[in-house]
Amino acid sequence: MHELGVVFYVVKDVKKVAEENHVEKVSAVTLEIGEVSGILHDYLTDCWNWAKKKEPLMEEAELKIEQIEAVTFCEECQKEYPTVEHGKICPYCGSENTYLLRGNEFLIKEIEVSD
């Protein structure tokens, strides 16, 4: 379960940003997670709920997840298509000369603070 390791890095980064900005309480963290990133949202949320209790700065912080849809580009026909639905083979021309444009990201989008 690499979700716990991911949560540790998020907590570390949020703590650093909070410290730099003299923030005493974080109320929410929004993550953008790619559809094919391999991160399981339910596991990530469970790990978040466990880890946040260990940090006074974040003990009440909500985790918000926004999914980034996976999109693949075909170099043969120059079209984009949904990766999960069609995989590596282009549904328009049948080419395997494709690559992932987006959908593998993992980003901290927003940190909300309490007054």
Side-chain angles (χ1 to χ4, degrees), residues 5-15 29 31 48 106 108:
V6 169
V7 166
F8 286 148
Y9 279 108
V10 171
V11 168
K12 178 182 165 190
D13 287 348
V14 170
K15 283 175 58 177
V29 174
L31 302 177
W48 174 265
F106 184 91
I108 298 174

Side-chain angles (χ1 to χ4, degrees), residues 16-59:
K16 181 179 176 192
V17 169
E19 197 174 285
E20 290 170 354
N21 291 280
H22 310 289
V23 169
E24 294 181 17
K25 285 286 182 190
V26 172
S27 58
V29 174
T30 303
L31 302 177
E32 290 182 318
I33 301 175
E35 186 176 23
V36 294
S37 67
I39 302 291
L40 301 176
H41 297 194
D42 290 342
Y43 288 166
L44 187 72
T45 301
D46 288 346
C47 293
W48 174 265
N49 289 332
W50 175 83
K52 73 178 186 176
K53 294 175 187 172
K54 310 285 186 224
E55 296 294 336
L57 169 75
M58 303 171 64
E59 60 192 356

Side-chain angles (χ1 to χ4, degrees), residues 54-71:
K54 310 285 186 224
E55 296 294 336
L57 169 75
M58 303 171 64
E59 60 192 356
E60 299 298 321
E62 174 187 3
L63 179 64
K64 299 177 183 179
I65 298 173
E66 296 179 1
Q67 183 167 284
I68 299 171
E69 300 297 321
V71 175

